[in-house]
Amino acid sequence: MSDQLLLVDDEPGLREAVQAYLEDSGFTVDVASNAHEGLELAHQKLPDLVITDIMMPQVDGYQFLKQLREDPQFKTLPVVFLTARGMTADRIQGYNAGCDAYISKPFDPDELVAVVTNLLEKQKALQAAAADDGGHNLAEMARQIAEIRAMLTQKGTIAQSPNTIKIDFTPREQSVLDLVVDGLMNKEIARRLETSVRNVEKYVSRLFSKTGTNSRTELVRYALENGLTKN
C-alpha cells in the first residue's frame, strides 16, 4: 500500500501539477483547496504526511498547522510547507511553527519527492522503534484486557448494556475495535484484516479519538461497558 499524502494549496494549477508528480512517484494524494477542507480530509483519511501552502485565504498555513497539532493524533504528523515565502525569516517562522520541512516556490519536484520520502522513512523508523519498545508490555496488556473482559462479563455488563451510546464507526473501524476487544495486538489484527500494521495503528488512534480514550485497556473497557463491540 502506497503512502497517503494530503496536499493543501489554493492554486488549482500548482495543486494539480504537484498531485500528478507525486502520484507518478508512487504516492496516493488527496487534495484540498483550503485549510478547512484540509482539516476535514486529515480526519477522514489520516494521511502519512501533509504538504501545505502558507498563504491561503481565511486560514493560513500557520493556523492550519496549529489546528493539526492541537489534535493528539496529528502531534507527530510530518508537515511540509510549500510556499512562495522564501526569505530566511519566513523559514525560521515556519520551523518555529512546527513544520518538518520548508520548500520555497519555485521548486524542483525531485527535491519535494526526496524530502517527502526522507520524512516518511524517518516516521516509519520512529514507529518501528516505538513498537519494539512496547514489545515487553504486550503480555501485560493482554492480561489486563482479559481481566477487563472477565470482570465485565461477571457483572453482566455486556448483556445488560447493548448499544447504550451511538458512535459512527466505519466498517473497518468496527472490525479493528472488535479485534482489539478480543485482545489481539496490532500485528495480529493486521494479519487478520490483511492490511499493514501502520494502517491498524491509524485505526486504533482514530478509535481513541472517537471514544475519548487514551489506551487500549481504556478503549476495551469503554467499548464493553457501552455495547460498542459486535462480538
Side-chain angles (χ1 to χ4, degrees):
M1 184 176 294
S2 61
D3 291 297
Q4 186 91 25
L5 309 183
L6 172 60
L7 172 63
V8 185
D9 199 301
D10 63 328
E11 298 179 38
L14 185 136
R15 188 172 63 241
E16 292 171 8
V18 173
Q19 179 185 17
Y21 198 89
L22 289 170
E23 288 179 342
D24 286 345
S25 299
F27 299 107
T28 300
V29 185
D30 292 301
V31 296
S33 60
N34 57 60
H36 178 71
E37 290 180 7
L39 198 60
E40 286 188 347
L41 271 174
H43 284 102
Q44 292 171 14
K45 300 289 188 174
L46 296 179
D48 299 300
L49 181 143
V50 171
I51 302 167
T52 181
D53 190 11
I54 291 178
M55 295 183 292
M56 296 184 291
Q58 298 179 330
V59 178
D60 66 18
Y62 297 120
Q63 293 171 303
F64 175 48
L65 177 56
K66 183 175 183 293
Q67 291 172 350
L68 283 173
R69 294 293 188 236
E70 286 173 349
D71 190 320
Q73 64 185 331
F74 299 136
K75 284 286 187 186
T76 61
L77 176 68
V79 175
V80 177
F81 276 150
L82 187 63
T83 176
R85 299 179 61 170
M87 301 296 290
T88 300
D90 295 321
R91 292 175 178 274
I92 292 172
Q93 184 178 356
Y95 285 117
N96 285 339
C99 78
D100 297 276
Y102 194 111
I103 300 177
S104 300
K105 302 175 185 175
F107 63 95
D108 186 327
D110 288 335
E111 179 187 3
L112 175 61
V113 170
V115 168
V116 168
T117 301
N118 183 53
L119 287 174
L120 288 171
E121 288 177 353
K122 287 183 177 179
Q123 187 76 349
K124 290 172 187 175
L126 288 173
Q127 291 171 346
D132 289 341
D133 290 343
H136 66 281
N137 292 321
L138 296 185
E140 175 64 15
M141 191 179 298
R143 182 189 65 77
Q144 291 178 17
I145 290 173
E147 287 181 355
I148 291 171
R149 287 182 61 83
M151 177 189 67
L152 293 174
T153 301
Q154 289 168 6
K155 289 182 177 180
T157 306
I158 297 175
Q160 293 173 7
S161 304
N163 300 318
T164 55
I165 63 172
K166 177 65 176 176
I167 297 180
D168 186 23
F169 294 128
T170 66
R172 181 48 65 97
E173 288 170 354
Q174 185 67 59
S175 297
V176 172
L177 176 61
D178 293 339
L179 293 173
V180 169
V181 171
D182 277 345
L184 273 64
M185 307 314 297
N186 289 352
K187 288 183 180 179
E188 298 170 304
I189 294 173
R191 285 196 295 268
R192 186 75 63 88
L193 298 181
E194 298 182 346
T195 187
S196 68
V197 173
R198 187 153 50 90
N199 279 339
V200 174
E201 290 170 350
K202 288 184 186 180
Y203 286 115
V204 171
S205 176
R206 188 181 290 182
L207 289 170
F208 287 159
S209 179
K210 286 191 173 184
T211 59
T213 56
N214 296 300
S215 70
R216 250 181 151 77
T217 50
E218 284 183 21
L219 176 61
V220 170
R221 181 187 295 276
Y222 187 89
L224 292 174
E225 289 180 343
N226 293 284
L228 298 177
T229 179
K230 292 185 177 181
N231 296 341

